[in-house]
Amino acid sequence: MKKDVSTEQKIKDAARKVFMTKGFSGCTTREIAKSVGINVALLNYYFRSKGKLFELILEAALSDFVDSMVEVFKQDLPLESKTRMLIDKEFEFLRKHPELPLFIHAGLNQESDAELDQSNFLGRLHKTGIFEECEKAQEEGSMRKLNMINVTLLFISNCHFPIMSKKLICGIYQIDDNEHEARLIEHQEIVKEMLINYLFPNTNKHA
Amino acid sequence: MKKDVSTEQKIKDAARKVFMTKGFSGCTTREIAKSVGINVALLNYYFRSKGKLFELILEAALSDFVDSMVEVFKQDLPLESKTRMLIDKEFEFLRKHPELPLFIHAGLNQESDAELDQSNFLGRLHKTGIFEECEKAQEEGSMRKLNMINVTLLFISNCHFPIMSKKLICGIYQIDDNEHEARLIEHQEIVKEMLINYLFPNTNKHA
DNA sequence: ATCGTTTTTAAACAATTGTTTAAAATAAGT
DNA sequence: ACTTATTTTAAACAATTGTTTAAAAACGAT
């Protein structure tokens, strides 16, 4: 233990911020070093290369993303409540990290290797028991019978995309940040109702 | 008229392909020139700079994206049929240009200026009369009352995201291209049913 | 064929890139 | 205090970047 925050961690933090906003090839190692206030060579001292550092950041971002889901799945709540909570948490989380979705997708497409499951994301999701829970609900008839990949797609699409498409939407509809934020707040409720109605069609339509 | 296809167009085509897959700062002018088979200097002869060329490609991509929507809106069909057609056309279009959504979003975030509406996308959408059509349907009660921005978000989220998240989904769920394609085909129907049910709640639930 | 214009090229430009080397500064162990 | 190991720096490295310059090639019109 040398510093309050180790240099290594400070570099990671700065790299995360820079990579997130500018992407891998959109920034330079010197830019990162400068934002930490250290020499360029120190980057290669702690991490072997720019690419290695990037992989680390990307991996961590993916981990955060999965973590926010796992946290909800572990809750002891009925499936429908979990669904609501998942959407709320996801919107809340992404509002704090709006660059995350685009960063992840752009990052994954940049790296051809993409050894994505060295962190065993699927395993961590499985351990929450959410898949069995859905399977049971589907057999009971309370939940619509869908492949879990499609269920995942529905959730991520409707939570991530509204956040990451801000520039597109503001550009096309010529609205400012405030109006966009207002749309987003409304959208959160829309998504919740739409997904619940679709996934659990037999329960109460209007509470 | 000099060539079958002008050099200018050949450069645009090559630049489009390269920019789409690698992004603005992910590629070099020499890479583009090489893929056309011409000298680097010719890029700056026809287009003034790499940035100018990129803006051109991005603008064209956005235009394609809006065009595919306008084409559907102009059809003389009931609103619900247009909805189905829009989703089908969008999936069909994006299957042919799967890099487009990510390219647009990454591109918009790279350019701080983003004078997005010099092509007057909103005007082109307005001219189709789709907004009035929805407003009328909403007053009649056949369509759920939502801000059109939220409606747009629902459509794009559920059409674009499934395509652009291929690497993420394949990575997490450890599936190959074939399995992913199968999920996508199913997802197209899922999205159609979910959106129709949500936007037009009073019509037939199960045909 | 000849002249002027357009298109294309080779070469060079200065700036920036990621990375390495070798030395300096700092910390730790004895 | 002295020695060793760790951390940090300045400087240099070769390669690559976007762009420009000036000359060559191709073309069009007369």
Side-chain angles (χ1 to χ4, degrees):
Chain A
M1 316 294 155
K2 311 110 212 181
K3 313 287 179 54
D4 321 278
V5 182
S6 72
T7 310
E8 190 174 343
Q9 188 57 46
K10 277 199 282 186
I11 296 177
K12 269 199 224 173
D13 292 343
R16 183 188 155 100
K17 189 176 292 182
V18 177
F19 277 143
M20 285 265 179
T21 52
K22 305 202 171 192
F24 175 71
S25 38
C27 73
T28 71
T29 54
R30 280 171 175 83
E31 187 179 354
I32 297 173
K34 197 174 185 178
S35 89
V36 194
I38 50 122
N39 194 283
V40 216
L42 217 55
L43 283 183
N44 295 34
Y45 174 75
Y46 281 109
F47 315 91
R48 291 208 343 238
S49 69
K50 184 191 182 186
K52 255 293 179 198
L53 177 56
F54 182 77
E55 274 180 44
L56 220 76
I57 305 294
L58 178 59
E59 191 77 15
L62 277 162
S63 208
D64 288 351
F65 158 63
V66 173
D67 280 345
S68 76
M69 290 171 42
V70 167
E71 195 191 344
V72 173
F73 293 156
K74 281 197 294 199
Q75 302 281 326
D76 185 24
L77 287 169
L79 204 47
E80 198 177 312
S81 303
K82 273 187 196 173
T83 303
R84 289 183 200 280
M85 183 184 269
L86 178 64
I87 296 170
D88 281 334
K89 288 273 178 196
E90 208 67 16
F91 267 89
E92 181 192 348
F93 176 74
L94 290 173
R95 220 185 299 266
K96 272 184 276 188
H97 310 282
E99 343 76 12
L100 199 71
L102 192 55
F103 169 72
I104 287 179
H105 284 87
L108 283 179
N109 274 51
Q110 213 130 35
E111 308 214 78
S112 54
D113 51 349
E115 297 185 23
L116 203 137
D117 227 32
Q118 58 188 82
S119 299
N120 190 26
F121 296 126
L122 189 55
R124 279 153 75 188
L125 291 175
H126 260 299
K127 242 178 287 176
T128 65
I130 187 71
F131 293 116
E132 290 87 344
E133 198 176 345
C134 285
E135 198 180 349
K136 199 177 129 207
Q138 285 180 337
E139 278 170 11
E140 277 176 2
S142 63
M143 182 179 177
R144 187 184 293 260
K145 281 192 181 170
L146 293 178
N147 187 300
M148 282 307 286
I149 294 181
N150 292 110
V151 176
T152 307
L153 267 180
L154 285 178
F155 276 102
I156 317 187
S157 296
N158 286 285
C159 293
H160 284 221
F161 196 91
I163 304 281
M164 67 195 285
S165 63
K166 180 178 173 183
K167 294 228 173 176
L168 181 70
I169 294 296
C170 287
I172 288 187
Y173 278 101
Q174 300 285 61
I175 60 175
D176 60 16
D177 286 13
N178 291 329
E179 171 73 6
H180 185 264
E181 181 61 22
R183 290 298 113 237
L184 227 48
I185 289 171
E186 210 166 306
H187 207 70
Q188 184 170 342
E189 300 307 315
I190 291 170
V191 167
K192 243 185 295 180
E193 186 176 355
M194 181 182 72
L195 285 183
I196 296 262
N197 280 358
Y198 184 72
L199 291 176
F200 310 104
N202 299 325
T203 54
N204 57 318
K205 294 287 176 190
H206 304 96
Chain B
M1 318 293 156
K2 313 111 212 176
K3 315 284 178 57
D4 323 276
V5 182
S6 74
T7 309
E8 191 173 343
Q9 189 57 46
K10 277 198 284 188
I11 295 176
K12 270 199 225 172
D13 292 343
R16 183 188 155 100
K17 188 175 294 181
V18 177
F19 278 143
M20 285 264 177
T21 52
K22 305 205 171 187
F24 175 71
S25 39
C27 73
T28 70
T29 53
R30 281 172 175 82
E31 186 180 354
I32 298 173
K34 196 173 185 179
S35 90
V36 194
I38 50 123
N39 194 282
V40 214
L42 217 55
L43 282 183
N44 296 42
Y45 173 76
Y46 281 109
F47 317 90
R48 290 205 346 234
S49 69
K50 185 192 183 187
K52 255 294 177 196
L53 176 57
F54 182 77
E55 276 181 42
L56 219 76
I57 304 295
L58 178 59
E59 190 79 17
L62 277 161
S63 209
D64 288 350
F65 158 63
V66 172
D67 281 345
S68 77
M69 290 171 44
V70 166
E71 195 191 345
V72 172
F73 292 157
K74 280 197 295 197
Q75 301 280 328
D76 184 24
L77 287 170
L79 203 47
E80 201 177 308
S81 304
K82 272 186 196 174
T83 302
R84 289 184 200 279
M85 185 184 269
L86 178 64
I87 296 169
D88 282 333
K89 287 274 179 195
E90 210 66 18
F91 267 89
E92 181 191 351
F93 176 73
L94 289 172
R95 219 183 298 264
K96 271 183 280 190
H97 309 282
E99 344 76 13
L100 200 72
L102 190 56
F103 170 71
I104 287 179
H105 284 86
L108 284 177
N109 273 50
Q110 211 130 35
E111 308 215 79
S112 54
D113 50 350
E115 298 183 24
L116 201 137
D117 227 32
Q118 57 189 80
S119 299
N120 190 29
F121 296 128
L122 190 55
R124 278 154 75 188
L125 290 174
H126 260 299
K127 241 179 288 177
T128 65
I130 188 72
F131 293 115
E132 291 88 343
E133 200 176 344
C134 285
E135 198 179 348
K136 201 178 130 206
Q138 286 180 334
E139 280 170 10
E140 276 176 5
S142 62
M143 181 180 177
R144 188 185 290 261
K145 281 191 180 171
L146 292 179
N147 186 299
M148 280 309 285
I149 293 181
N150 292 109
V151 177
T152 307
L153 267 180
L154 285 179
F155 276 102
I156 319 187
S157 296
N158 286 286
C159 292
H160 283 222
F161 196 90
I163 303 282
M164 67 195 286
S165 62
K166 179 177 173 181
K167 293 227 174 176
L168 180 70
I169 294 297
C170 286
I172 288 187
Y173 279 100
Q174 301 284 63
I175 59 174
D176 60 16
D177 287 13
N178 291 330
E179 172 71 7
H180 185 264
E181 181 62 21
R183 290 298 114 239
L184 228 47
I185 289 171
E186 209 164 306
H187 208 69
Q188 182 170 344
E189 301 305 316
I190 292 170
V191 167
K192 244 187 293 180
E193 185 175 356
M194 181 182 71
L195 285 183
I196 297 260
N197 280 358
Y198 185 72
L199 292 175
F200 310 104
N202 299 325
T203 53
N204 56 317
K205 294 288 176 189
H206 305 96

